Amino acid sequence: MSQPHDKNKKKRPRWRTKKRMVPAGAAPGTMHVDPTADETIIRVITANNGSFVDREHVSIAQLEQMLESPSWIWIDVSGLGTESSLKRIAELVKIHPLAMEDVLHVNQRAKVDQFGDSLFVVARMIDGTDARDSEQISFILRPNILVSFQQRHGDCWDPVRIRIRDGKNAFRSHSIDYLLYALLDSIIDSYFPFIDQLADQLDHIDESITLGLEDGAFDKLHQLRSQLLALRRVIRPHRDMVNQLIRDDYDLIVPETRIFLRDCYDHVIHVSDSTDTYNEAANGIRDYHMSMVSNRMNEIMKVLTIMSSIFIPLSFVVGLYGMNFNTDLPGNMPELNIPHSYEYLLLFMACAAVGMLLYFRKKKWI
Amino acid sequence: MSQPHDKNKKKRPRWRTKKRMVPAGAAPGTMHVDPTADETIIRVITANNGSFVDREHVSIAQLEQMLESPSWIWIDVSGLGTESSLKRIAELVKIHPLAMEDVLHVNQRAKVDQFGDSLFVVARMIDGTDARDSEQISFILRPNILVSFQQRHGDCWDPVRIRIRDGKNAFRSHSIDYLLYALLDSIIDSYFPFIDQLADQLDHIDESITLGLEDGAFDKLHQLRSQLLALRRVIRPHRDMVNQLIRDDYDLIVPETRIFLRDCYDHVIHVSDSTDTYNEAANGIRDYHMSMVSNRMNEIMKVLTIMSSIFIPLSFVVGLYGMNFNTDLPGNMPELNIPHSYEYLLLFMACAAVGMLLYFRKKKWI
Amino acid sequence: MSQPHDKNKKKRPRWRTKKRMVPAGAAPGTMHVDPTADETIIRVITANNGSFVDREHVSIAQLEQMLESPSWIWIDVSGLGTESSLKRIAELVKIHPLAMEDVLHVNQRAKVDQFGDSLFVVARMIDGTDARDSEQISFILRPNILVSFQQRHGDCWDPVRIRIRDGKNAFRSHSIDYLLYALLDSIIDSYFPFIDQLADQLDHIDESITLGLEDGAFDKLHQLRSQLLALRRVIRPHRDMVNQLIRDDYDLIVPETRIFLRDCYDHVIHVSDSTDTYNEAANGIRDYHMSMVSNRMNEIMKVLTIMSSIFIPLSFVVGLYGMNFNTDLPGNMPELNIPHSYEYLLLFMACAAVGMLLYFRKKKWI
Amino acid sequence: MSQPHDKNKKKRPRWRTKKRMVPAGAAPGTMHVDPTADETIIRVITANNGSFVDREHVSIAQLEQMLESPSWIWIDVSGLGTESSLKRIAELVKIHPLAMEDVLHVNQRAKVDQFGDSLFVVARMIDGTDARDSEQISFILRPNILVSFQQRHGDCWDPVRIRIRDGKNAFRSHSIDYLLYALLDSIIDSYFPFIDQLADQLDHIDESITLGLEDGAFDKLHQLRSQLLALRRVIRPHRDMVNQLIRDDYDLIVPETRIFLRDCYDHVIHVSDSTDTYNEAANGIRDYHMSMVSNRMNEIMKVLTIMSSIFIPLSFVVGLYGMNFNTDLPGNMPELNIPHSYEYLLLFMACAAVGMLLYFRKKKWI
Amino acid sequence: MSQPHDKNKKKRPRWRTKKRMVPAGAAPGTMHVDPTADETIIRVITANNGSFVDREHVSIAQLEQMLESPSWIWIDVSGLGTESSLKRIAELVKIHPLAMEDVLHVNQRAKVDQFGDSLFVVARMIDGTDARDSEQISFILRPNILVSFQQRHGDCWDPVRIRIRDGKNAFRSHSIDYLLYALLDSIIDSYFPFIDQLADQLDHIDESITLGLEDGAFDKLHQLRSQLLALRRVIRPHRDMVNQLIRDDYDLIVPETRIFLRDCYDHVIHVSDSTDTYNEAANGIRDYHMSMVSNRMNEIMKVLTIMSSIFIPLSFVVGLYGMNFNTDLPGNMPELNIPHSYEYLLLFMACAAVGMLLYFRKKKWI
């Protein structure tokens, strides 16, 4: 009994977002590292004598050394669990305490904030099958430096890294804000398989309900609507975020990159638009389902009513002549002693039944 | 069993949009030609010594030659399946890689984008009976050059071509942006038969439901609402697109053309407005239908309740006198041995039935 | 059978707007006169030597002559069926082809467009009992010239004509834009009887449903909501239209007239506001009705359940003692041969029935 | 029968607003006095040699005299039924005809209009228990002159009058726009008891429905929603009206008064906000009620189904052995002649009943 | 019986806000102290010779003395019941009468108002488990002086006080507006436990309904929706309030503090966003619940209909042969005297029952 319960529980979306770790009233900008989070791993891609270097598992000491060279550098931090490393990175790249606080509180909405000469960008990625369990990706953009903080290990940026390594792409000719664009675009692209999957589910549910095969279709619809709701909540702030990057006069974003960001904006709109459309479609299916349930109830009630209306009165009649009144006394059921009265009675009951059927046909019930 | 299933499936709208062909994280501006798409055919209309030339199935070599002459040229590309042709066209007309990417990803929303001195316009056309299966038409407008990319073969532009050939219309006196307007206007006009057809369906469904002829009316309403939802999703971005062409200071659109575009904008509003109105009307019909189903259920239940309430108690009474208690013993059903008791019982039952009927009449059930 | 069908059909609102006569892709600004439209009749009111002249059934030749005099002239064209007259008027008053196209396509939304030095205004009037069947009234305003095109014969402007003739009103001291205001105001005023009638229907329906007199009240509510929906669609664009006349810097509208137009704007808001309120009120009544239907169903079900729950078990009991087991054999219904057992049974059944009634009372069903 | 009908009718909100008295197409600015309106009474408060004078039932002649003195004057006109007085006041204070028209058509929405150097303000007051029956209060503000027109006799301004008389308040040091503010604020304050009363009703209804005491709770909810709808319609335009007085550069409103009007604006927002919240709360209660009705129906159906499912089959069985087949013939109901068969049958029926009960328990119906 | 009633009543949200104590029409800016409110306690934190002093239960005399020193001072007033103290504080700190009026009317929405050189800020805190019972916190910010008025004793500011005392935080280096930020941020942070608790409830309800354990889940959902509605009403004005503090050019808020307020704004958005999402999730659960209730009703009806449809006709048949017609007369139930007719009848009834079952299986009811 308890097992299906647990399984069900696991699958159900969790509305509860993670508890805020910071006690209410704590000083702003304090770093509160969650000790249960993934261990912090640093990967650095930097330009070294014209060729690009990609080094994984960089130590803090190595990072310090690398930051001394004046060239282009992308510091990719994944896992937010090692306090010492995170504190040192924040100092080295001069990250504003408020930005660092938001990096660590992984339930931020997508946004852009400017702190002095650095830009702080938050995006969210869906890396599983549950829109509620989105991963926060934060970026700090400074001249020639981009720091990315991933909440969890594993990302969708390998194609970008390959393009950087191959060098055949625009990365060398563009400034570092182009890299920010490329990473953001990869994040947004990761939404497409998810919405495609939701669309497939929607199709499947619609088909099941239309054909009357209700194999838990309404349960699935409920799950789907929860996912769409959560997806909408996650994707919507990205519109403002990307739009702000395009429109506002941040010096760090060159005009050329803005053209590319416009393309990224189109993708965000596409996801957000699909979410809204699927949501309305899901509402339509719900209405349709409710209506079909009502119709089916009507069908059932008609059968019951027809059967009952015909046979209950007839049962009364046959019960009547089953009574044991003493027929020897005057006025007591003389019909029972009339020849062929049984046949007359059968005829009468047949007529009554046919009359009822005609009445129901007139009412268009049959 | 499987056949109606398949047929049904075919008719059902597909919420799933086409899969994005580009792998997530791919470099922006890469051309990904879908090999299953229609073969690319080029048709060119150009001014040649004052008269207009209309040549179909133009080869790339011929196109290059034609582009050398300084005059007005409309390159109409239909089918997006031949990679070599598309790449060469993009080079010849200097189309921005991001624009070319959007031309090939045929699930763009209607929009306008400016790339340097060229304007990139996307519109969508409904060429069948399913608003989800809309065709993407993209335009590249440069001084004296208009390139149109049609997703599929076959279009609605023959009247425009005839007007160009006949020359009696404004095409010679206007700049090439007027041609863009004329083509956009034709696309928007193609929505009108579609919404007329939806309005006819709506009328038919409303009539069916009002008259109680439920020949699958609610199924049709569900389909209609899906279509309206899809139509709204397709048409809505056209408002912004046309409005942007009118309002923004694109040098390529002369003021005279803007007056015509304003007319086109009115048509877009008309379609979008009708969609909204039909949608609300469909909701009204749904509510009405739900209410009628409930009312009918009430009717059915009343019949059942009246029949049952009258005859079930009477059946009890006649059952009572059908019991086989030994009437020779004292206190055991002495009624059975009283003369005329049968007739008194019949009278009593008639009174009970009439009493019930009066009670139901008082309750306004009959 | 077919007669009530037809009658019903006639009364039902038609969602289908008139078919667009222009083939898709036709040149913009082409005149497509609908030959089935009302015959074109021209009526001219003009200033002649200080006094006003009002001449009906003016011929094109007379009109030409009248236009030569430099004074104030109102050309009132009703009926859009005579192509030759309409073409000639368009030439004489120099109406822009796009404006003339909109005059003839009588499903325009209310709007203002400026063509060079003339203003093109479209309004819609409800002249019957169906908000879908609204009549398009178009105006061309030029210095000292106002042309009005009425879709159908018959209008609501006689009071305005009388005020012009009597001359006691402001018409002589004001410029011709004041006349445009006066005509627009009359059109908007024509909505008030219509919304008053809708409010009366709403009251009647509300009363019927509250008192439980369901003489087709829900059908009427469905009709009413359709009307409100159509009315909203018709009136809403008037807000923008009148507002644009007030705010935009059209030279043809003098500041003094703008004050009057502000009054007209208040009336438009009043109609539009009432429409929204009545719509929400109609939704409230629908909810109330649905709830009452459910409540009544509950009542019906309670009666059925109480009757069945009491008498079906009792019927079983009396059926039990109606069985014909051979009581001479041991263990076969010895109760039948016990004195007074019938009376004990009656007592038992009475107790069972009272028990059921007490149970239902505890459940608050009775 | 007719009495409760009438009573009910009286209580029901009237969606129908008063008929517009002006014939459509009448000249704007014409005065149409409703002869059935309250008789016009004039009360004047004015400064006379430093002390304030408050005189009721002032005649037109006296008013003329009072207007000659240059000081501060508040002309309070209540009742709009005496044409001669109203016409004379309009002349004396030089009220614009369009403003005067709006004063007399008592179904205006709250608004501000500027006519030359005078300000025309309309507000609405709820002076009873029905939000539909709101009273129109119009103000004409000119330098040193404030005219207020009350639709009906009786107002909520006595505290203001006392504050003026006592002189201890700011009235002497402020310009006359402060008086306008004070009167408007009194009007807005008059909404608070009304919304408090609606909140009490909402609480009462919520409690009734939660506890299952349905003493017409849903009827009351329907009334309440109508009231909230009407209230929203009345209060909403006040937001724009007060906001316009604060923001727009009317010379007649001094900056100091604007601070007070901001306070008044807060009150309007409070009312409007409460209306929206109560409306949503009412919707929540409606949903809850609907759900409880469904749940109760389920309960009723379960009882019916359990009783029927157990006893109808058993009745069949006992009916079976009540048949009168001739047991002397072979194969005809030999069971009847087996000893103890009656007891076996009873056992079998008990088992069947228990089986059914277990089945229903498994289905969680009992 | 009355006890659960009372308990229930206590738990139910109260839509009724507190009665406004001020009589309608009273002079603005009058102080109306509610004598039933908490007793007024003053606590002062001030800078004294470089170190900070924190003194509780400060008397008015002491406060006067402390205000004389020119340094930074935070006057924390909790409880609004002691008129004399409040009046004296208002005089000492020169609080505008309108601001003081709003301090005492504890049903203000969150807002910012500027009175001369002081800023008046209102926020609301949820300090229990009921969003309707929010506490009003008002602030008066003047150069170097911050006065906070708490409606009730007890607050969430101890962490801030500790940070001030410890001095290790930014309080000494920042101006007093930073303290305002810190207090506002603490207030907003106090919403997070509340929404977490609502999310937990939502999860619990969703689980209960999905698993079909309806232990009053719908009642809880109704309560939850009321709470979400009230929460939305409380939190929404905070968006405008904080945003206004960030955007508007108040001299008292230095740019550095605005960066911190932006962080506070993010938190407000987070709460407001969660509220909206949970509300939609609650609607989804309601729809799901309604649908499950309908489905269950269908199940129940199917069982009833199947049982009735099979056994009612069979009961009729067995009743038929239970009739007591005199079989000795011709034509009267000759079947009874045919050998094995009983067995034929049993066979016939079995076939009928199986036929019914097949029919229901075809209808997919079983």
CSV table of all heavy atoms in Angstrom, one decimal, chain C residues 76-101:
chain,number,residue,atom,x,y,z
C,76,ASP,N,-24.9,63.7,-48.6
C,76,ASP,CA,-25.3,62.5,-47.9
C,76,ASP,C,-25.7,61.4,-48.9
C,76,ASP,O,-26.7,61.5,-49.5
C,76,ASP,CB,-26.5,62.9,-47.0
C,76,ASP,CG,-26.9,61.7,-46.2
C,76,ASP,OD1,-26.1,60.7,-46.0
C,76,ASP,OD2,-28.0,61.7,-45.6
C,77,VAL,N,-24.8,60.4,-49.0
C,77,VAL,CA,-25.0,59.3,-50.0
C,77,VAL,C,-25.5,58.1,-49.2
C,77,VAL,O,-24.9,57.6,-48.3
C,77,VAL,CB,-23.7,59.0,-50.7
C,77,VAL,CG1,-23.9,57.9,-51.7
C,77,VAL,CG2,-23.0,60.2,-51.2
C,78,SER,N,-26.7,57.7,-49.6
C,78,SER,CA,-27.2,56.5,-48.9
C,78,SER,C,-27.5,55.4,-49.9
C,78,SER,O,-28.0,55.6,-51.0
C,78,SER,CB,-28.5,56.8,-48.1
C,78,SER,OG,-29.5,57.0,-48.9
C,79,GLY,N,-27.1,54.1,-49.6
C,79,GLY,CA,-27.1,53.0,-50.5
C,79,GLY,C,-25.9,53.0,-51.3
C,79,GLY,O,-25.4,54.0,-51.9
C,80,LEU,N,-25.2,51.8,-51.4
C,80,LEU,CA,-23.9,51.7,-52.0
C,80,LEU,C,-24.0,50.7,-53.2
C,80,LEU,O,-23.1,50.0,-53.5
C,80,LEU,CB,-22.9,51.1,-51.0
C,80,LEU,CG,-22.7,52.0,-49.8
C,80,LEU,CD1,-21.8,51.3,-48.8
C,80,LEU,CD2,-22.2,53.4,-50.2
C,81,GLY,N,-25.2,50.8,-54.0
C,81,GLY,CA,-25.4,49.9,-55.1
C,81,GLY,C,-25.2,50.4,-56.5
C,81,GLY,O,-25.1,49.6,-57.4
C,82,THR,N,-25.1,51.7,-56.7
C,82,THR,CA,-25.0,52.2,-58.0
C,82,THR,C,-23.6,52.6,-58.3
C,82,THR,O,-23.1,53.7,-57.9
C,82,THR,CB,-26.0,53.5,-58.2
C,82,THR,OG1,-27.2,53.1,-57.6
C,82,THR,CG2,-26.2,53.8,-59.6
C,83,GLU,N,-22.9,51.8,-59.1
C,83,GLU,CA,-21.5,52.0,-59.3
C,83,GLU,C,-21.1,53.4,-59.9
C,83,GLU,O,-20.2,54.1,-59.5
C,83,GLU,CB,-20.9,50.9,-60.2
C,83,GLU,CG,-19.4,50.9,-60.3
C,83,GLU,CD,-18.9,49.6,-60.9
C,83,GLU,OE1,-19.7,48.7,-61.2
C,83,GLU,OE2,-17.7,49.5,-61.0
C,84,SER,N,-21.9,53.7,-61.0
C,84,SER,CA,-21.6,55.0,-61.8
C,84,SER,C,-21.6,56.2,-60.8
C,84,SER,O,-20.7,57.0,-60.8
C,84,SER,CB,-22.6,55.1,-62.9
C,84,SER,OG,-23.9,55.2,-62.4
C,85,SER,N,-22.7,56.3,-60.0
C,85,SER,CA,-22.8,57.5,-59.1
C,85,SER,C,-21.6,57.5,-58.2
C,85,SER,O,-21.0,58.5,-58.0
C,85,SER,CB,-24.1,57.4,-58.3
C,85,SER,OG,-25.2,57.2,-59.2
C,86,LEU,N,-21.3,56.3,-57.6
C,86,LEU,CA,-20.3,56.3,-56.6
C,86,LEU,C,-18.9,56.7,-57.2
C,86,LEU,O,-18.1,57.5,-56.6
C,86,LEU,CB,-20.2,54.9,-55.9
C,86,LEU,CG,-21.4,54.5,-55.1
C,86,LEU,CD1,-21.4,53.0,-54.7
C,86,LEU,CD2,-21.4,55.4,-53.8
C,87,LYS,N,-18.6,56.2,-58.4
C,87,LYS,CA,-17.4,56.5,-59.0
C,87,LYS,C,-17.3,58.0,-59.3
C,87,LYS,O,-16.2,58.6,-59.0
C,87,LYS,CB,-17.3,55.8,-60.4
C,87,LYS,CG,-16.8,54.3,-60.2
C,87,LYS,CD,-16.2,53.7,-61.5
C,87,LYS,CE,-15.5,52.4,-61.1
C,87,LYS,NZ,-15.5,51.5,-62.3
C,88,ARG,N,-18.4,58.6,-59.8
C,88,ARG,CA,-18.4,60.0,-60.1
C,88,ARG,C,-18.2,60.9,-58.8
C,88,ARG,O,-17.4,61.8,-58.8
C,88,ARG,CB,-19.7,60.3,-60.8
C,88,ARG,CG,-19.7,61.7,-61.5
C,88,ARG,CD,-18.9,61.7,-62.7
C,88,ARG,NE,-18.7,63.1,-63.2
C,88,ARG,CZ,-17.6,63.7,-63.2
C,88,ARG,NH1,-16.5,63.2,-62.7
C,88,ARG,NH2,-17.5,65.0,-63.6
C,89,ILE,N,-18.8,60.5,-57.7
C,89,ILE,CA,-18.7,61.2,-56.5
C,89,ILE,C,-17.2,61.1,-56.0
C,89,ILE,O,-16.7,62.2,-55.6
C,89,ILE,CB,-19.6,60.6,-55.4
C,89,ILE,CG1,-21.1,60.8,-55.7
C,89,ILE,CG2,-19.3,61.2,-54.0
C,89,ILE,CD1,-22.1,60.0,-54.9
C,90,ALA,N,-16.6,59.9,-56.1
C,90,ALA,CA,-15.3,59.8,-55.7
C,90,ALA,C,-14.4,60.7,-56.4
C,90,ALA,O,-13.4,61.3,-55.9
C,90,ALA,CB,-14.8,58.3,-55.8
C,91,GLU,N,-14.6,60.9,-57.7
C,91,GLU,CA,-13.8,61.8,-58.6
C,91,GLU,C,-14.0,63.2,-58.2
C,91,GLU,O,-13.1,64.0,-58.0
C,91,GLU,CB,-14.2,61.6,-60.0
C,91,GLU,CG,-13.6,60.3,-60.7
C,91,GLU,CD,-14.2,60.1,-62.0
C,91,GLU,OE1,-14.7,61.0,-62.6
C,91,GLU,OE2,-14.2,58.9,-62.5
C,92,LEU,N,-15.3,63.6,-58.0
C,92,LEU,CA,-15.6,65.0,-57.8
C,92,LEU,C,-15.0,65.4,-56.4
C,92,LEU,O,-14.5,66.6,-56.4
C,92,LEU,CB,-17.2,65.1,-57.7
C,92,LEU,CG,-17.9,65.1,-59.0
C,92,LEU,CD1,-19.4,65.1,-58.8
C,92,LEU,CD2,-17.5,66.4,-59.9
C,93,VAL,N,-15.1,64.6,-55.4
C,93,VAL,CA,-14.6,65.0,-54.1
C,93,VAL,C,-13.2,64.6,-53.9
C,93,VAL,O,-12.6,64.8,-52.8
C,93,VAL,CB,-15.6,64.5,-53.0
C,93,VAL,CG1,-15.4,65.2,-51.7
C,93,VAL,CG2,-17.0,64.6,-53.4
C,94,LYS,N,-12.6,64.0,-54.9
C,94,LYS,CA,-11.2,63.5,-54.8
C,94,LYS,C,-11.0,62.6,-53.6
C,94,LYS,O,-10.1,62.9,-52.8
C,94,LYS,CB,-10.2,64.7,-54.8
C,94,LYS,CG,-10.3,65.6,-56.0
C,94,LYS,CD,-9.2,66.7,-55.9
C,94,LYS,CE,-9.5,67.8,-56.9
C,94,LYS,NZ,-10.7,68.7,-56.5
C,95,ILE,N,-11.7,61.5,-53.5
C,95,ILE,CA,-11.6,60.6,-52.4
C,95,ILE,C,-10.5,59.6,-52.8
C,95,ILE,O,-10.4,59.1,-53.9
C,95,ILE,CB,-12.9,59.8,-52.2
C,95,ILE,CG1,-14.0,60.8,-51.8
C,95,ILE,CG2,-12.7,58.8,-51.1
C,95,ILE,CD1,-15.4,60.2,-51.7
C,96,HIS,N,-9.6,59.3,-51.8
C,96,HIS,CA,-8.4,58.4,-52.1
C,96,HIS,C,-9.0,57.0,-52.4
C,96,HIS,O,-9.9,56.6,-51.7
C,96,HIS,CB,-7.6,58.4,-50.8
C,96,HIS,CG,-6.3,57.7,-51.0
C,96,HIS,ND1,-6.1,56.3,-51.0
C,96,HIS,CD2,-5.0,58.2,-51.2
C,96,HIS,CE1,-4.8,56.0,-51.2
C,96,HIS,NE2,-4.1,57.2,-51.3
C,97,PRO,N,-8.4,56.3,-53.4
C,97,PRO,CA,-8.9,55.0,-53.7
C,97,PRO,C,-9.0,54.0,-52.5
C,97,PRO,O,-10.0,53.3,-52.4
C,97,PRO,CB,-7.9,54.5,-54.7
C,97,PRO,CG,-7.3,55.7,-55.3
C,97,PRO,CD,-7.3,56.7,-54.2
C,98,LEU,N,-8.0,54.1,-51.6
C,98,LEU,CA,-8.1,53.2,-50.4
C,98,LEU,C,-9.3,53.5,-49.6
C,98,LEU,O,-9.9,52.6,-49.0
C,98,LEU,CB,-6.8,53.2,-49.6
C,98,LEU,CG,-5.6,52.5,-50.2
C,98,LEU,CD1,-4.4,52.8,-49.3
C,98,LEU,CD2,-5.8,51.0,-50.2
C,99,ALA,N,-9.6,54.8,-49.4
C,99,ALA,CA,-10.8,55.2,-48.6
C,99,ALA,C,-12.0,54.7,-49.3
C,99,ALA,O,-12.9,54.1,-48.7
C,99,ALA,CB,-10.8,56.7,-48.5
C,100,MET,N,-12.1,54.9,-50.6
C,100,MET,CA,-13.3,54.5,-51.4
C,100,MET,C,-13.5,53.0,-51.2
C,100,MET,O,-14.6,52.5,-51.1
C,100,MET,CB,-13.1,54.9,-52.8
C,100,MET,CG,-14.4,55.1,-53.5
C,100,MET,SD,-15.5,56.4,-52.8
C,100,MET,CE,-17.1,55.7,-53.2
C,101,GLU,N,-12.4,52.2,-51.3
C,101,GLU,CA,-12.5,50.8,-51.1
C,101,GLU,C,-13.1,50.4,-49.8
C,101,GLU,O,-14.0,49.5,-49.7
C,101,GLU,CB,-11.0,50.2,-51.2
C,101,GLU,CG,-11.0,48.7,-51.4
C,101,GLU,CD,-9.6,48.1,-51.3
C,101,GLU,OE1,-8.6,48.9,-51.5
C,101,GLU,OE2,-9.4,46.9,-51.0
